[in-house]
Amino acid sequence: MLLKLDFDSEVPIYQQIRNQIVVGIASGQLSPGERLPATRALAEDLGVNTMTVSKAYQQLRQEGYVITDRRSGVMVRQREAGVPVVPEETVKGLRLRLCELRLAGLSREEILQLCDKLCDEEVG
Amino acid sequence: MIGTLILWGCIIWIVPLMYVLLRNEAKWKKNIVVGATLPYEARQDPEVEETLRRYQRQLGWMSVLLLLVTVPCMFVPQFSVQFILWSFWLLLAMVLLQIPFVRTNKALRRIKVERGWRRQPSAQAVSDLTAAAVPMKWLSPWWFLPPLVLSLIPMALDRELWVLWLMDAALVAFCYVGYRWLFRLRAEVVDANTDLTVALTHLRRYNWGKTWLWIAWATGCFNLGLCLTLEWFWAAMAVTFVYGAVVVVATIGIEFRVRRAQERLTADSGKDFYVDEDDQWIWGMFYYNPNDKRLVVNNRTGINTTFNLARRGAQIFMGLTVLMLLALPLVGVWLMHEETIPVELTVTETAVVARHSGTEYEVSLSDIESAELLTERPVSSRVAGTALESVSKGRYKNDEWGRFTCCIDPRTGPWLLLRTTDGEIWLFNATDSAATEAAYQAITAGK
């Protein structure tokens, strides 16, 4: 999976890393159990500070997308069977985005259509 | 004449080498040609093809011109003037040969904009997560230990020149430092093909280690070889030549092997998404990226590395390098000064003093065992020191006396041979023959 950072963007670098990894996992480009680069290796690869990558990984770990193993490093977390647990932050974020879409003038049907389209694109 | 030929041999090959390296830039590697990133379709574009042909022609003419200029330099009699001329020639070659590259790079970038081939924002960094996760397998430091030991052996065999041997040993040690810390662990992302990225990354990493290991072993062997042949001038010269040849052939050979592999592996790349970092490369040759925290970055093609000029350390280093290169002709001026200063020989109440420029040798009169005035200059060769047409000073050697200290003007006799009670031998004279004879008289009168 290719990770592209835009240094002109207002989104912080660590957030860009975190977001793209989440998209990568959701779209299947990063499969469960797949090893991610070590913090230092990814920082070296992107030319960013080690702390930036560390912060992105830490957030991904807290949100349950990745796990850290002492021997294997950072890995994409296996999805557990059963009722999916959506992080509280994600629900909050989604609620905010829905409000923004409503304020932009979209109806409920249009919002659902948009979500459907995005789901097809990102998740398959 | 030997000095002229050695100087010529040390410098002349730089132009053909630069020509071959720069001409190779006209071959497509990782979607890059003459420092410009272009899509696959550009390879069949008539304007791009013509631009590249023109670049090769310009490069060829420039190289021939530079080589022709060297012919009159060979016949300049004074070594110091020759050195100044060669220094200017070297600087000229380094600048002139880059001009076709810069002009072509600009032309290709213009074509790129005109054709709408510019695709991604300038401030972007791309990483292939799968390729970046492949760990670097560093060579064990044990591989560098035998050449280090080899390079330290002369310290035990020839203690007099310990500084020289230690410097060579430090060079071997630096090979490991350079291998570990002058390399950036970055995956070679060219397009979205992860297998290609992994292959290119492995290619560069493997050959990077191989290059440093070659240099370390060659330097270790050279140090020992030089120590063992130091008594025979031509043998020592042959060892030095072989060392230089091995290092140049090995490093350039590896560089070209990597370039050929990069060319082959990326022959079909650039059709869809491709990485374009042109905005971070000034004229396609100097890396300047304020968003990149790294000081050392990998060159885009081949295996070499370069500096990120957006970092203060790199600016200082580059500035110092440029200053040192510009100061090269000053060495010639210093040589000219050395050549014109006469060698002096005086006898004080307590010692014989030989002087030239900033060098002074003093032998106490009470230590002198014997003094002899030679009318013929003894045949000898330099171990360490200066050997110009008008002055020989430092440590010299010959078959009859072994090693001795010397401060003479080789052009004018006689020469004063002194032996001291500690077994040391000294060969002095003055540019003014009368001064040498007067010194001899003073020493013998005192005895």
Side-chain angles (χ1 to χ4, degrees):
Chain A
M1 177 209 154
L2 287 183
L3 195 148
K4 297 172 193 167
L5 294 187
D6 184 355
F7 293 100
D8 288 338
S9 166
E10 286 180 7
V11 181
I13 300 297
Y14 82 91
Q15 198 67 46
Q16 288 187 45
I17 297 171
R18 178 259 172 208
N19 290 351
Q20 289 188 47
I21 290 175
V22 170
V23 171
I25 295 170
S27 63
Q29 289 181 75
L30 291 171
S31 41
E34 188 171 335
R35 244 174 70 175
L36 294 179
T39 308
R40 191 177 288 183
L42 187 56
E44 188 82 5
D45 214 49
L46 292 165
V48 298
N49 205 300
T50 316
M51 289 304 293
T52 309
V53 178
S54 183
K55 198 171 174 182
Y57 276 175
Q58 199 180 346
Q59 193 173 346
L60 286 164
R61 202 166 38 244
Q62 280 171 358
E63 292 167 347
Y65 296 116
V66 300
I67 52 165
T68 310
D69 182 272
R70 193 166 288 179
R71 278 188 304 174
S72 310
V74 184
M75 286 192 306
V76 177
R77 191 177 181 174
Q78 301 275 0
R79 284 185 205 174
E80 287 158 15
V83 184
V85 180
V86 182
E88 201 180 326
E89 282 299 310
T90 309
V91 176
K92 274 186 190 169
L94 188 59
R95 197 185 296 277
L96 180 66
R97 298 283 175 249
L98 286 173
C99 294
E100 285 168 359
L101 290 171
R102 288 297 287 272
L103 288 171
L106 267 70
S107 66
R108 182 189 172 89
E109 286 69 32
E110 284 169 328
I111 292 171
L112 287 172
Q113 267 177 13
L114 182 63
C115 289
D116 210 32
K117 183 172 166 278
L118 290 174
C119 276
D120 284 346
E121 280 175 17
E122 298 299 333
V123 187
Chain B
M1 193 60 191
I2 290 172
T4 305
L5 283 173
I6 290 172
L7 192 62
W8 181 81
C10 287
I11 295 173
I12 198 75
W13 55 273
I14 290 173
V15 166
L17 179 66
M18 280 180 75
Y19 169 74
V20 172
L21 282 168
L22 286 167
R23 193 184 154 89
N24 185 268
E25 295 288 348
K27 291 185 175 176
W28 293 84
K29 294 175 281 290
K30 300 164 75 182
N31 301 319
I32 298 166
V33 68
V34 195
T37 311
L38 299 170
Y40 187 81
E41 60 184 292
R43 300 180 198 200
Q44 280 83 43
D45 187 282
E47 199 180 347
V48 171
E49 283 179 322
E50 177 49 33
T51 308
L52 293 178
R53 273 196 296 271
R54 195 166 55 239
Y55 165 69
Q56 288 171 336
R57 276 200 304 272
Q58 285 174 355
L59 207 56
W61 280 114
M62 208 72 95
S63 304
V64 170
L65 191 76
L66 281 162
L67 289 175
L68 285 175
V69 169
T70 63
V71 179
C73 291
M74 297 277 291
F75 298 101
V76 174
Q78 225 177 328
F79 184 77
S80 56
V81 180
Q82 261 188 29
F83 192 92
I84 294 171
L85 288 174
W86 282 116
S87 307
F88 279 117
W89 178 81
L90 191 64
L91 294 174
L92 197 71
M94 288 168 85
V95 175
L96 280 186
L97 285 174
Q98 304 296 341
I99 291 174
F101 185 95
V102 174
R103 287 178 61 178
T104 308
N105 180 267
K106 283 183 173 178
L108 290 172
R109 285 186 187 209
R110 179 185 51 76
I111 297 170
K112 183 177 170 180
V113 174
E114 283 173 3
R115 302 280 197 282
W117 288 334
R118 204 186 140 97
R119 289 185 184 177
Q120 60 197 64
S122 57
Q124 197 180 57
V126 181
S127 170
D128 187 316
L129 285 182
T130 312
V134 178
M136 169 85 173
K137 285 179 188 164
W138 291 106
L139 281 172
S140 163
W142 291 106
W143 283 103
F144 290 82
L145 193 64
L148 183 66
V149 172
L150 275 180
S151 69
L152 285 169
I153 292 173
M155 296 273 282
L157 299 177
D158 187 345
R159 286 162 192 262
E160 192 184 345
L161 298 176
W162 66 272
V163 178
L164 176 70
W165 311 129
L166 195 65
M167 276 166 66
D168 280 1
L171 190 62
V172 177
F174 177 77
C175 287
Y176 184 70
V177 176
Y179 165 61
R180 281 303 302 262
W181 288 283
L182 287 181
F183 187 70
R184 178 161 169 192
L185 288 174
R186 191 183 180 193
E188 302 267 293
V189 192
V190 175
D191 55 28
N193 184 345
T194 299
D195 291 339
L196 176 64
T197 306
V198 171
L200 288 168
T201 309
H202 175 72
L203 178 76
R204 185 189 274 263
R205 291 178 180 181
Y206 171 74
N207 284 288
W208 176 253
K210 204 163 128 183
T211 306
W212 284 106
L213 206 54
W214 258 103
I215 299 172
W217 276 89
T219 310
C221 293
F222 165 69
N223 214 14
L224 185 61
L226 188 68
C227 174
L228 296 174
T229 57
L230 203 60
E231 301 298 321
W232 303 278
F233 177 77
W234 287 111
M237 285 302 290
V239 167
T240 310
F241 175 78
V242 169
Y243 166 67
V246 165
V247 170
V248 171
V249 170
T251 51
I252 300 295
I254 292 170
E255 171 75 17
F256 272 94
R257 209 170 307 140
V258 171
R259 286 184 179 203
R260 274 198 299 274
Q262 288 172 338
E263 196 183 326
R264 211 172 44 246
L265 286 167
T266 57
D268 288 325
S269 179
K271 288 176 181 166
D272 303 312
F273 169 80
Y274 60 93
V275 175
D276 181 348
E277 294 180 339
D278 280 2
D279 288 338
Q280 278 102 55
W281 290 85
I282 301 166
W283 299 337
M285 59 170 77
F286 298 114
Y287 187 68
Y288 184 92
N289 185 3
N291 294 314
D292 194 336
K293 299 281 177 282
R294 301 290 165 266
L295 177 72
V296 176
V297 294
N298 297 339
N299 269 355
R300 293 201 282 180
T301 55
I303 52 164
N304 216 345
T305 55
T306 186
F307 285 102
N308 178 7
L309 291 177
R311 302 267 77 85
R312 180 70 64 207
Q315 289 165 359
I316 293 169
F317 182 83
M318 286 296 278
L320 287 175
T321 308
V322 170
L323 277 179
M324 274 171 65
L325 284 171
L326 291 176
L328 206 56
L330 292 179
V331 178
V333 175
W334 171 76
L335 279 174
M336 198 181 267
H337 176 253
E338 287 276 295
E339 275 181 341
T340 50
I341 288 183
V343 178
E344 291 171 23
L345 183 64
T346 50
V347 180
T348 64
E349 283 184 6
T350 55
V352 180
V353 182
R355 240 184 247 111
H356 179 263
S357 194
T359 316
E360 188 175 289
Y361 298 100
E362 195 174 308
V363 181
S364 173
L365 286 173
S366 58
D367 290 342
I368 295 173
E369 200 174 63
S370 70
E372 197 180 335
L373 201 62
L374 307 174
T375 49
E376 266 187 47
R377 181 164 56 91
V379 178
S380 51
S381 56
R382 178 179 51 168
V383 177
T386 307
L388 292 170
E389 207 175 308
S390 61
V391 62
S392 300
K393 60 181 177 182
R395 292 290 281 168
Y396 277 68
K397 65 177 168 53
N398 65 18
D399 293 340
E400 196 183 342
W401 308 331
R403 288 186 187 179
F404 59 93
T405 304
C406 172
C407 182
I408 59 166
D409 182 336
R411 298 168 302 178
T412 53
W415 292 273
L416 182 63
L417 175 68
L418 302 176
R419 290 175 197 270
T420 45
T421 47
D422 56 1
E424 277 290 311
I425 295 174
W426 311 77
L427 187 69
F428 295 148
N429 86 337
T431 305
D432 176 13
S433 303
T436 313
E437 280 165 19
Y440 175 69
Q441 297 297 339
I443 295 165
T444 47
K447 284 276 159 191

